[in-house]
Short mmCIF file of all heavy atoms in Angstrom, two decimals:
data_model
loop_
_atom_site.label_atom_id
_atom_site.label_comp_id
_atom_site.label_asym_id
_atom_site.label_seq_id
_atom_site.Cartn_x
_atom_site.Cartn_y
_atom_site.Cartn_z
N VAL Q 118 95.04 90.56 87.96
CA VAL Q 118 95.45 91.51 86.95
C VAL Q 118 96.60 92.43 87.56
O VAL Q 118 96.35 93.11 88.64
CB VAL Q 118 94.28 92.37 86.52
CG1 VAL Q 118 94.67 93.27 85.28
CG2 VAL Q 118 93.08 91.60 86.20
N GLU Q 119 97.71 92.55 86.85
CA GLU Q 119 98.73 93.45 87.27
C GLU Q 119 98.39 94.83 86.66
O GLU Q 119 98.36 94.96 85.45
CB GLU Q 119 100.10 93.20 86.60
CG GLU Q 119 100.68 91.85 86.80
CD GLU Q 119 101.87 91.64 85.82
OE1 GLU Q 119 102.00 92.43 84.77
OE2 GLU Q 119 102.63 90.70 86.04
N LYS Q 120 98.16 95.76 87.61
CA LYS Q 120 97.91 97.16 87.17
C LYS Q 120 99.17 98.04 87.58
O LYS Q 120 99.41 99.03 86.96
CB LYS Q 120 96.61 97.71 87.69
CG LYS Q 120 96.17 98.87 86.83
CD LYS Q 120 94.82 99.33 87.19
CE LYS Q 120 93.74 99.37 86.10
NZ LYS Q 120 94.27 99.66 84.75
N SER Q 121 99.85 97.53 88.60
CA SER Q 121 101.12 98.27 88.99
C SER Q 121 102.02 98.16 87.72
O SER Q 121 101.93 97.27 86.92
CB SER Q 121 101.83 97.44 90.06
OG SER Q 121 100.98 97.42 91.26
N THR Q 122 102.93 99.15 87.69
CA THR Q 122 103.93 99.24 86.50
C THR Q 122 105.04 98.21 86.88
O THR Q 122 105.77 98.41 87.89
CB THR Q 122 104.41 100.67 86.31
OG1 THR Q 122 103.35 101.45 86.05
CG2 THR Q 122 105.44 100.69 85.21
N VAL Q 123 105.26 97.26 86.05
CA VAL Q 123 106.22 96.18 86.37
C VAL Q 123 107.01 95.84 85.04
O VAL Q 123 106.51 96.03 84.03
CB VAL Q 123 105.53 94.90 86.82
CG1 VAL Q 123 104.87 95.06 88.19
CG2 VAL Q 123 104.56 94.38 85.89
N PRO Q 124 108.21 95.38 85.15
CA PRO Q 124 108.99 95.03 83.99
C PRO Q 124 108.45 93.85 83.32
O PRO Q 124 107.74 93.01 83.92
CB PRO Q 124 110.42 94.75 84.60
CG PRO Q 124 110.37 94.98 85.97
CD PRO Q 124 108.93 95.14 86.43
N ALA Q 125 108.78 93.73 81.99
CA ALA Q 125 108.32 92.59 81.28
C ALA Q 125 108.76 91.28 81.90
O ALA Q 125 109.86 91.30 82.53
CB ALA Q 125 108.97 92.69 79.83
N ARG Q 126 108.01 90.37 81.90
CA ARG Q 126 108.20 89.01 82.46
C ARG Q 126 107.78 88.83 83.92
O ARG Q 126 107.88 87.83 84.55
CB ARG Q 126 109.67 88.49 82.31
CG ARG Q 126 110.11 88.64 80.87
CD ARG Q 126 111.38 87.90 80.53
NE ARG Q 126 111.03 86.47 80.53
CZ ARG Q 126 111.97 85.54 80.19
NH1 ARG Q 126 113.19 85.96 79.83
NH2 ARG Q 126 111.66 84.38 80.10
N THR Q 127 107.31 90.00 84.55
CA THR Q 127 106.76 89.91 85.89
C THR Q 127 105.63 88.98 86.00
O THR Q 127 105.42 88.22 86.92
CB THR Q 127 106.42 91.32 86.46
OG1 THR Q 127 107.60 92.18 86.30
CG2 THR Q 127 105.97 91.31 87.85
N GLY Q 128 104.82 89.01 84.91
CA GLY Q 128 103.61 88.16 84.87
C GLY Q 128 103.95 86.69 85.07
O GLY Q 128 103.20 85.96 85.76
N GLU Q 129 105.10 86.32 84.57
CA GLU Q 129 105.55 84.93 84.70
C GLU Q 129 105.81 84.59 86.15
O GLU Q 129 105.50 83.55 86.67
CB GLU Q 129 106.83 84.62 83.79
CG GLU Q 129 106.46 84.79 82.32
CD GLU Q 129 107.87 84.78 81.51
OE1 GLU Q 129 108.86 84.46 81.97
OE2 GLU Q 129 107.74 85.21 80.31
N TRP Q 130 106.42 85.56 86.91
CA TRP Q 130 106.76 85.38 88.22
C TRP Q 130 105.48 85.33 89.07
O TRP Q 130 105.30 84.53 90.07
CB TRP Q 130 107.65 86.49 88.79
CG TRP Q 130 109.06 86.30 88.39
CD1 TRP Q 130 109.78 86.94 87.37
CD2 TRP Q 130 109.92 85.34 89.01
NE1 TRP Q 130 111.03 86.44 87.39
CE2 TRP Q 130 111.18 85.52 88.31
CE3 TRP Q 130 109.84 84.43 90.03
CZ2 TRP Q 130 112.29 84.76 88.69
CZ3 TRP Q 130 111.00 83.65 90.33
CH2 TRP Q 130 112.17 83.83 89.63
N VAL Q 131 104.46 86.16 88.73
CA VAL Q 131 103.23 86.27 89.45
C VAL Q 131 102.55 84.86 89.33
O VAL Q 131 102.01 84.32 90.25
CB VAL Q 131 102.33 87.43 88.97
CG1 VAL Q 131 100.94 87.31 89.58
CG2 VAL Q 131 102.95 88.80 89.27
N LYS Q 132 102.55 84.39 88.07
CA LYS Q 132 101.87 83.16 87.79
C LYS Q 132 102.57 81.99 88.61
O LYS Q 132 101.83 81.22 89.30
CB LYS Q 132 101.98 82.84 86.29
CG LYS Q 132 100.92 81.94 85.83
CD LYS Q 132 101.02 81.63 84.27
CE LYS Q 132 100.53 82.79 83.47
NZ LYS Q 132 100.63 82.50 82.06
N ARG Q 133 103.89 81.99 88.61
CA ARG Q 133 104.61 80.96 89.33
C ARG Q 133 104.32 81.05 90.88
O ARG Q 133 104.15 80.08 91.54
CB ARG Q 133 106.12 81.14 89.07
CG ARG Q 133 106.93 79.93 89.26
CD ARG Q 133 108.40 80.16 88.92
NE ARG Q 133 108.58 80.71 87.64
CZ ARG Q 133 109.84 80.95 87.17
NH1 ARG Q 133 110.82 80.74 87.89
NH2 ARG Q 133 110.02 81.46 85.89
N THR Q 134 104.27 82.26 91.35
CA THR Q 134 104.02 82.45 92.80
C THR Q 134 102.63 81.92 93.16
O THR Q 134 102.46 81.32 94.11
CB THR Q 134 104.11 83.98 93.16
OG1 THR Q 134 105.38 84.40 92.69
CG2 THR Q 134 103.97 84.27 94.64
N ILE Q 135 101.67 82.19 92.30
CA ILE Q 135 100.23 81.82 92.61
C ILE Q 135 100.28 80.26 92.55
O ILE Q 135 99.70 79.55 93.41
CB ILE Q 135 99.29 82.41 91.64
CG1 ILE Q 135 99.34 83.95 91.84
CG2 ILE Q 135 97.93 81.86 91.78
CD1 ILE Q 135 98.35 84.74 90.98
N MET Q 136 100.91 79.70 91.51
CA MET Q 136 100.91 78.22 91.36
C MET Q 136 101.44 77.61 92.63
O MET Q 136 100.87 76.61 93.14
CB MET Q 136 101.71 77.86 90.17
CG MET Q 136 100.96 77.00 89.21
SD MET Q 136 101.12 77.48 87.50
CE MET Q 136 102.82 77.50 87.19
N LEU Q 137 102.50 78.09 93.19
CA LEU Q 137 103.14 77.50 94.34
C LEU Q 137 102.42 77.61 95.58
O LEU Q 137 102.58 76.80 96.50
CB LEU Q 137 104.55 78.17 94.57
CG LEU Q 137 105.70 77.83 93.63
CD1 LEU Q 137 106.87 78.76 93.91
CD2 LEU Q 137 106.07 76.38 93.85
N ASN Q 138 101.53 78.66 95.64
CA ASN Q 138 100.78 78.88 96.93
C ASN Q 138 99.33 78.53 96.85
O ASN Q 138 98.58 78.72 97.81
CB ASN Q 138 100.94 80.33 97.35
CG ASN Q 138 102.36 80.62 97.76
OD1 ASN Q 138 102.79 80.29 98.95
ND2 ASN Q 138 103.16 81.22 96.90
N ASN Q 139 98.89 78.06 95.66
CA ASN Q 139 97.48 77.86 95.46
C ASN Q 139 97.18 76.34 95.86
O ASN Q 139 97.04 75.48 95.01
CB ASN Q 139 97.23 78.10 93.91
CG ASN Q 139 95.86 77.70 93.35
OD1 ASN Q 139 94.98 77.46 94.12
ND2 ASN Q 139 95.84 77.62 92.06
N LYS Q 140 97.03 76.26 97.16
CA LYS Q 140 96.90 74.90 97.75
C LYS Q 140 95.70 74.11 97.24
O LYS Q 140 95.72 72.94 97.14
CB LYS Q 140 96.96 74.97 99.29
CG LYS Q 140 98.22 75.61 99.86
CD LYS Q 140 99.39 74.63 99.91
CE LYS Q 140 100.61 75.17 100.56
NZ LYS Q 140 101.51 75.86 99.61
N GLU Q 141 94.60 74.88 97.06
CA GLU Q 141 93.35 74.23 96.66
C GLU Q 141 93.33 73.87 95.09
O GLU Q 141 92.34 73.36 94.54
CB GLU Q 141 92.12 75.03 97.02
CG GLU Q 141 92.02 75.15 98.51
CD GLU Q 141 90.63 75.65 98.93
OE1 GLU Q 141 89.68 75.55 98.10
OE2 GLU Q 141 90.49 76.25 100.00
N GLY Q 142 94.40 74.27 94.48
CA GLY Q 142 94.51 74.02 93.00
C GLY Q 142 93.43 74.71 92.20
O GLY Q 142 92.96 74.26 91.14
N ALA Q 143 93.03 75.92 92.69
CA ALA Q 143 91.96 76.65 91.94
C ALA Q 143 92.47 77.10 90.57
O ALA Q 143 93.61 77.46 90.40
CB ALA Q 143 91.54 77.82 92.83
N ASP Q 144 91.54 77.20 89.67
CA ASP Q 144 91.86 77.65 88.37
C ASP Q 144 92.07 79.17 88.37
O ASP Q 144 91.42 79.92 89.16
CB ASP Q 144 90.55 77.39 87.60
CG ASP Q 144 90.85 77.19 86.05
OD1 ASP Q 144 92.04 77.11 85.78
OD2 ASP Q 144 89.88 77.12 85.25
N PHE Q 145 93.06 79.63 87.58
CA PHE Q 145 93.27 81.13 87.67
C PHE Q 145 93.97 81.50 86.33
O PHE Q 145 94.51 80.68 85.63
CB PHE Q 145 94.16 81.59 88.83
CG PHE Q 145 95.57 81.15 88.70
CD1 PHE Q 145 96.52 82.00 88.13
CD2 PHE Q 145 95.98 79.85 89.06
CE1 PHE Q 145 97.86 81.63 88.09
CE2 PHE Q 145 97.32 79.44 88.94
CZ PHE Q 145 98.31 80.35 88.37
N ASP Q 146 93.81 82.86 86.08
CA ASP Q 146 94.60 83.46 84.99
C ASP Q 146 95.34 84.73 85.55
O ASP Q 146 94.91 85.35 86.52
CB ASP Q 146 93.70 83.94 83.90
CG ASP Q 146 93.27 82.80 82.97
OD1 ASP Q 146 94.13 82.11 82.45
OD2 ASP Q 146 91.96 82.67 82.77
N VAL Q 147 96.42 85.06 84.89
CA VAL Q 147 97.13 86.26 85.22
C VAL Q 147 96.95 87.15 83.99
O VAL Q 147 97.13 86.63 82.82
CB VAL Q 147 98.61 86.05 85.62
CG1 VAL Q 147 99.43 87.30 85.67
CG2 VAL Q 147 98.68 85.27 86.91
N ALA Q 148 96.84 88.47 84.16
CA ALA Q 148 96.76 89.40 83.05
C ALA Q 148 97.53 90.64 83.39
O ALA Q 148 97.73 90.93 84.54
CB ALA Q 148 95.31 89.77 82.69
N SER Q 149 97.89 91.33 82.39
CA SER Q 149 98.59 92.69 82.57
C SER Q 149 97.66 93.74 82.01
O SER Q 149 97.20 93.60 80.87
CB SER Q 149 99.95 92.64 81.86
OG SER Q 149 100.36 94.06 81.77
N ASN Q 150 97.39 94.75 82.85
CA ASN Q 150 96.53 95.87 82.35
C ASN Q 150 97.10 97.13 82.82
O ASN Q 150 96.66 97.78 83.84
CB ASN Q 150 95.12 95.59 82.90
CG ASN Q 150 94.20 96.81 82.68
OD1 ASN Q 150 93.40 97.20 83.59
ND2 ASN Q 150 94.24 97.43 81.52
#
Side-chain angles (χ1 to χ4, degrees):
V118 188
E119 306 165 342
K120 203 173 236 325
S121 297
T122 301
V123 293
R126 310 195 73 174
T127 302
E129 293 168 15
W130 281 103
V131 170
K132 205 179 282 182
R133 206 177 303 182
T134 306
I135 296 178
M136 234 136 54
L137 284 172
N138 292 281
N139 174 11
K140 298 280 183 271
E141 294 195 22
D144 209 5
F145 73 95
D146 280 309
V147 170
S149 165
N150 169 222

